[in-house]
Amino acid sequence: MARARSVYRCAECGHEHPKWAGRCEACGAWNSVAEERLAATPGPKRSGAGGRRAVPGGPATVRALGDVGGERLLRWPLGIPELDFVFGGGLVPGSMSLVGGEPGIGKSTLLLQAGARMVGGGHRVLYASGEESAEQIRLRADRLAEDASGVLVLGETHLETVLAATREVNADLLILDSIQTVFTDTLESAPGSVGQVRESAALLMRFAKETGVGVMVVGHVTKGGMQAGPKTLEHIVDTALYYEGEPSLNYRLLRATKNRFGSVDELGVFSMTERGLVGVPNPSALFLEARSASTSGSAVTALMEGTRPVLVEVQALAAPSGYGTPQRVATGLDPKRLAVLLAVLERRAGHSFANLDVFVQVSAGVKLTEPGADLAVAAALVSSLTNRPTPADALFLGEIGLAGEVRPVGGVDRRLAEAGRLGFRRAFGSGRHAGAAGLTNVALDHVDELIHALAA
Ligand code: TYD
Ligand code: MG
């Protein structure tokens, strides 16, 4: 007789343990392992690595790769250019996407807008919500610039019911808000538990592949990491988008961290208005909007966000530290990278930040993940220390090594073209960056030369 079986799964990495453990043996996270009870009835397929097929497989079609049709992927534009861009050109039918982000960031708003645009393009869209009633969704829809009246809505948390409704109304796109609020009959655990989230995602993925319906799922991510998590879903879905941004600022950054049908790390920028989200076609201008070129401690660099160059401002403030150990606060960059740059400036360029509190931040909640931004961070630090603004028309581009050497970065042409478009005239960086049209290269081979160039 079939009996209820349990596995113990880590909420962080999804690793399965035969019994409960205080610490995950795979990823080392504490208190992340939770019991997951499998339903007593023998299901069609178990989730996870231990899954066994209950029935022998049917006949399979194996082909040589050369015989596989090379038709171009069909895509449905979602009608919001910034969103389509992050997706790699639109939604692929039969694909499943995850839109993750903190509560209140605007996930439901964005997907409802996309749904409304899809309906406008002649598609059938079902918006199923386990978070809000149809009335609440209507209230949101009434605020939007788009006409969402043709979007079909369903307030439901039972996944099998949602899928049946999707088939019944013959929808092209299913929007499910959110994966943490639905449950499937296959598992006994509560909605939102790791097991439910994973099993629901697997079920949705199979549904998308079988029916050709595009599925977009909302996943909540909390500040401290995640609530039964989008991270564990990332390897299941075709496309994983993350939505970020300071809730207090009205712009939002959307980024693909995984995309089976396009490139990753593409950045889409939106501003949250009274009437929904509006794409920002020119993020560099927005990010530099608040910049005051006559204030010290500011430097501009060009980052490659996916395939697109984006200009951002780095701000630094060095101030006498009142007591004890000076503070080092880095927002938008790795504190360790800041420590390295401070040490290099001290030892290789004779600029000491001892006894000074140092604060560094990046405009618009953007994160500096590439070393090419080093030179801008160093320039902002030196500018704050010497209380001399960096030149208003100067862009800083370069990686700094431990010996203080300035190294070239990749994608220079596109970065400099973007800077030129926004009125920058000089590019401080490695001499090897020379040659871009419109910008004068101010060659620096060592941070020492940066100090001289800024003092000039
Ligand atoms: P929401 O889409 O509900 O966020 P999420 O689904 O990620 O939790 O958006 C929540 C916030 O957005 C809420 O504070 C209200 C605000 N908002 C606007 O500013 N303008 C609008 O047009 C709408 C619909 C919401
Ligand atoms: Mg929501």
Side-chain angles (χ1 to χ4, degrees), residues 102-109 127 129 131-132 140 177-178 218 220:
E102 287 172 27
I105 199 92
K107 301 179 294 295
S108 306
T109 307
Y127 186 108
S129 180
E131 309 225 321
E132 292 158 315
R140 173 179 293 110
D177 192 358
S178 66
V218 169
H220 290 294

Side-chain angles (χ1 to χ4, degrees), residues 109-361:
T109 307
L110 182 70
L111 293 188
L112 187 57
Q113 286 179 262
R117 301 275 182 111
M118 286 284 285
V119 169
H123 293 283
R124 290 178 73 77
V125 177
L126 176 64
Y127 186 108
S129 180
E131 309 225 321
E132 292 158 315
S133 63
E135 288 73 21
Q136 285 170 308
I137 302 170
R138 172 66 198 266
L139 287 178
R140 173 179 293 110
D142 285 344
R143 293 180 63 173
L144 302 179
E146 289 69 10
D147 173 17
S149 56
V151 175
L152 304 167
V153 290
L154 173 67
E156 179 59 63
T157 54
H158 183 227
L159 186 57
E160 280 81 1
T161 306
V162 171
L163 297 184
T166 312
R167 284 183 201 267
E168 197 170 309
V169 301
N170 203 10
D172 298 315
L173 170 64
L174 166 65
I175 296 171
L176 184 68
D177 192 358
S178 66
I179 190 84
Q180 278 102 353
T181 52
V182 293
F183 71 97
T184 149
D185 291 333
T186 342
L187 294 182
E188 284 173 2
S189 47
S193 65
V194 205
Q196 279 290 355
V197 166
R198 284 170 55 97
E199 192 60 30
S200 301
L203 207 60
L204 282 159
M205 188 70 176
R206 281 202 293 279
F207 176 80
K209 295 288 173 270
E210 276 166 28
T211 59
V213 171
V215 175
M216 293 174 88
V217 176
V218 169
H220 290 294
V221 184
T222 50
K223 268 240 157 62
M226 74 222 58
Q227 164 197 345
K231 272 288 171 214
T232 65
L233 294 185
E234 213 169 77
H235 60 270
I236 300 180
V237 301
D238 293 309
T239 308
L241 306 183
Y242 277 87
Y243 216 171
E244 44 190 23
E246 283 301 313
S248 57
L249 302 172
N250 71 350
Y251 34 78
R252 305 279 184 268
L253 311 178
L254 183 69
R255 213 186 282 275
T257 54
K258 171 178 179 183
N259 194 347
R260 287 195 177 131
F261 310 112
S263 52
V264 289
D265 287 327
E266 294 295 3
L267 178 71
V269 183
F270 296 88
S271 69
M272 180 60 114
T273 70
E274 265 310 297
R275 309 198 62 199
L277 288 146
V278 178
V280 176
N282 186 353
S284 299
L286 176 78
F287 294 162
L288 298 184
E289 202 176 59
R291 174 175 180 237
S292 161
S294 56
T295 315
S296 63
S298 154
V300 176
T301 190
L303 305 174
M304 285 310 284
E305 295 288 353
T307 55
R308 197 163 63 159
V310 175
L311 265 54
V312 294
E313 178 190 10
V314 181
Q315 285 187 313
L317 181 65
S321 118
Y323 353 57
T325 319
Q327 295 191 63
R328 305 288 184 238
V329 182
T331 311
L333 75 158
D334 181 359
K336 293 200 189 94
R337 195 69 208 154
L338 174 60
V340 168
L341 293 173
L342 289 170
V344 170
L345 284 172
E346 170 148 2
R347 291 296 308 276
R348 308 292 181 195
H351 274 50
S352 171
F353 290 81
N355 305 320
L356 294 174
D357 286 337
V358 174
F359 307 93
V360 176
Q361 63 183 35

